[in-house]
Amino acid sequence: MTDHNKKQFSFRQECPRAKLQATNWLAGISDARDFDIVEVIFKNTRAGYYINSLGPEVKIGDTVVVESQPGYDIGRVNMTGRLVKLQMRKNGIKEDSELRKLLRYPTPQELDRADEAHSLEHETMIKARRIAEGLLLNMKIGDVEYQADAAKAIFYYIADERVDFRALIRVLADTFKVRVEMRQIGARQEAGRIGGIGPCGRPLCCSQWITRFSSVGTGAARIQDISMSPQKLAGQCAKLKCCLNFESAIYAEAQKQMPGKDVQLETKDATYYLFKSDILAHKVTYSTDRKIPANLVTIDSSRAFEIIALNKQGVRVDSLLPEEEAAQGEETPTDLVEQESLTRFDGSKGKKRKNRGRRDKSQGEKKQQGEKKQQGENRPQGEKKQQGENRPQGEKKPQEEGRHQHQRRRQRGRGGEQRGGEQKKSES
């Protein structure tokens, strides 16, 4: 590996340039020999097209020196071959337009000078913000990019309205002794430069690979049936998320295979209205009420089109479900309104509390009985005998008293029978 290759490797690592790695889908088929113009990319996704004067050995990833006004600049080759021709056509650049040239491969001294110039960018940005604030300009300078030879600096700014920065340009040129160029960027470009983590948990797409931003509208969210809440649709740049456009084409294609929202399905029992639809799963849910979910039935889109065709012929089906599913048994309709009632837990709570009180009471009684029994069993036998001995002599046990009372009653009964017999004898 030569010194030149070693240095350009360190240049790519130290400087956050060319974050987009272009997919060379013509690799092995087309290269710099097929087209004499190459695309060179710089900081902040700034790209330019230059005439290849270095020969067909130029490859994607090479660090090159290009013409600039004034001086020169250093960038990285991002695209070669027929891909450049297609990209120029996409951006509206004609092939016969006046383009600058590739000069040479950079020397180690030029790369060192470029690194020194780029190290001044942050400090220059802070000073430029203070100068703009002192001039009472309603703008924010988001970034500064120095040319490789430090002869020119590009100031990227954000402003909500038109700003007259002619005085600012004079002050910046006198302060930093460079040629000043002002470029306005949007909120998305600023978010891509700063970076961050999105709500999906991944780094922001604009800071990873997006370099050319396309307009995003709320129609993309409607097609995908996404909530229209501004807090959910907006990204960290306070604009609509770029990822809304990623799957909108797939949803638009799948939407063609779904029944219309205003189409009603007629059965012998009721009329069903569209409640919600799962576009990618090709499932639709219908309700018997137009405004609230009632007796919800979910069917395939193919079944819905079948019922629509029968309704147009004047035929009303027995059920929205296919005959096989309907034969297995009808599902009990779920009343979602009753489920959302505020008093749906009152009865169950009362029963639970009542049963809990009875259970606690019975458990308390059992516990008391067990404690008494355990106290009686644990009492020493000598103590029981002593209690019996300590009872007064005249006092009798309850069992003995009951036995004596029973004997008295029997004796009284015998005495009465004897007296009755004597009376009968005397009468006779």
Side-chain angles (χ1 to χ4, degrees):
M1 183 180 289
T2 62
D3 295 339
H4 154 67
N5 292 331
K6 290 181 181 178
K7 191 61 182 179
Q8 72 174 359
F9 179 78
S10 65
F11 175 78
R12 290 201 303 269
Q13 280 192 331
E14 293 173 2
C15 299
R17 296 174 180 273
K19 60 185 177 183
L20 175 62
Q21 300 291 335
T23 301
N24 187 14
W25 51 273
L26 290 178
I29 300 175
S30 177
D31 54 14
R33 291 188 294 265
D34 297 336
F35 197 60
D36 61 347
I37 298 176
V38 297
E39 183 187 52
V40 180
I41 194 167
F42 305 92
K43 186 182 177 182
N44 285 331
T45 68
R46 178 173 63 93
Y49 298 94
Y50 298 86
I51 299 175
N52 182 14
S53 59
L54 300 180
E57 66 275 4
V58 175
K59 298 178 181 179
I60 295 176
D62 290 345
T63 304
V64 293
V65 179
V66 300
E67 288 183 341
S68 182
Q69 187 63 33
Y72 66 90
D73 202 355
I74 297 178
R76 187 176 64 84
V77 177
N78 191 53
M79 197 175 296
T80 60
R82 282 179 281 175
L83 288 177
V84 180
K85 186 175 183 180
L86 298 175
Q87 195 70 16
M88 292 176 64
R89 185 185 304 173
K90 178 181 178 181
N91 295 330
I93 301 175
K94 297 181 180 181
E95 298 180 17
D96 55 353
S97 58
E98 294 183 2
L99 299 176
R100 295 187 174 93
K101 299 180 181 180
L102 299 182
L103 297 178
R104 59 187 177 276
Y105 291 108
T107 62
Q109 292 77 15
E110 291 175 338
L111 292 175
D112 292 336
R113 187 176 181 183
D115 292 339
E116 293 176 2
H118 297 320
S119 63
L120 301 174
E121 293 175 348
H122 183 72
E123 183 181 356
T124 302
M125 179 185 67
I126 300 301
K127 292 182 179 180
R129 287 181 177 178
R130 295 174 181 172
I131 294 172
E133 184 179 358
L135 295 176
L136 302 178
L137 297 178
N138 187 16
M139 60 184 296
K140 175 186 176 182
I141 297 178
D143 196 11
V144 177
E145 179 184 356
Y146 267 95
Q147 200 168 267
D149 58 355
K152 178 182 176 182
I154 302 175
F155 292 81
Y156 297 92
Y157 71 94
I158 302 172
D160 296 332
E161 55 188 13
R162 188 177 180 86
V163 180
D164 185 6
F165 46 75
R166 289 176 293 182
L168 176 63
I169 292 176
R170 290 194 295 268
V171 175
L172 293 177
D174 295 338
T175 303
F176 302 110
K177 307 302 180 182
V178 294
R179 183 173 180 178
V180 176
E181 179 181 350
M182 304 295 295
R183 287 195 182 184
Q184 185 174 4
I185 60 175
R188 288 190 174 95
Q189 286 84 350
E190 184 189 23
R193 186 192 64 83
I194 297 174
I197 302 297
C200 59
R202 295 180 60 86
L204 298 179
C205 297
C206 55
S207 65
Q208 290 292 305
W209 57 274
I210 293 181
T211 57
R212 296 176 177 87
F213 298 91
S214 58
S215 60
V216 184
T218 56
R222 293 191 181 94
I223 292 175
Q224 302 175 54
D225 198 14
I226 300 176
S227 173
M228 300 302 294
S229 172
Q231 290 78 10
K232 295 182 179 181
L233 295 181
Q236 294 188 1
C237 59
K239 304 292 182 180
L240 292 176
K241 295 178 182 177
C242 299
C243 56
L244 293 177
N245 285 343
F246 294 171
E247 299 179 357
S248 59
I250 299 176
Y251 276 87
E253 186 67 23
Q255 186 70 38
K256 299 178 182 178
Q257 304 176 7
M258 302 294 289
K261 296 183 179 180
D262 299 332
V263 178
Q264 304 174 7
L265 303 185
E266 301 288 343
T267 63
K268 294 181 180 180
D269 298 332
T271 300
Y272 286 84
Y273 306 92
L274 181 66
F275 176 67
K276 67 176 182 178
S277 59
D278 191 342
I279 300 176
L280 298 183
H282 299 286
K283 297 283 187 179
V284 283
T285 302
Y286 286 90
S287 170
T288 54
D289 195 286
R290 190 188 297 270
K291 297 181 180 179
I292 61 175
N295 303 322
L296 298 179
V297 180
T298 302
I299 58 176
D300 295 334
S301 59
S302 58
R303 174 62 178 173
F305 282 115
E306 181 182 348
I307 297 175
I308 292 172
L310 293 175
N311 291 156
K312 289 182 179 180
Q313 297 175 4
V315 179
R316 292 191 175 188
V317 296
D318 296 333
S319 174
L320 295 184
L321 297 174
E323 296 180 358
E324 307 83 46
E325 298 183 11
Q328 293 179 0
E330 297 181 358
E331 298 182 358
T332 305
T334 303
D335 192 352
L336 298 181
V337 177
E338 184 178 355
Q339 290 184 359
E340 298 298 330
S341 175
L342 297 176
T343 60
R344 63 186 184 277
F345 296 120
D346 293 349
S348 60
K349 285 184 178 179
K351 293 180 180 178
K352 288 182 180 179
R353 290 177 180 175
K354 189 175 181 180
N355 296 333
R356 185 183 301 172
R358 293 178 179 176
R359 186 167 58 253
D360 295 344
K361 185 177 180 181
S362 61
Q363 290 179 357
E365 293 177 355
K366 291 180 180 179
K367 187 176 181 181
Q368 291 178 0
Q369 293 177 1
E371 291 177 354
K372 291 180 180 178
K373 186 176 180 180
Q374 186 176 5
Q375 291 176 1
E377 292 177 353
N378 296 334
R379 184 177 299 166
Q381 296 181 359
E383 184 179 352
K384 295 179 182 179
K385 186 176 180 180
Q386 185 177 4
Q387 289 180 0
E389 293 177 354
N390 294 336
R391 185 182 293 116
Q393 295 181 358
E395 184 179 355
K396 299 181 179 179
K397 294 182 180 180
Q399 295 180 357
E400 295 179 357
E401 290 182 358
R403 188 165 54 254
H404 292 321
Q405 291 178 3
H406 182 65
Q407 290 177 358
R408 291 182 190 136
R409 290 191 190 119
R410 291 181 65 183
Q411 291 176 0
R412 289 175 185 171
R414 292 176 182 176
E417 291 177 357
Q418 293 177 358
R419 285 195 298 272
E422 293 176 357
Q423 290 178 2
K424 288 182 180 180
K425 290 181 181 181
S426 61
E427 288 177 359
S428 60

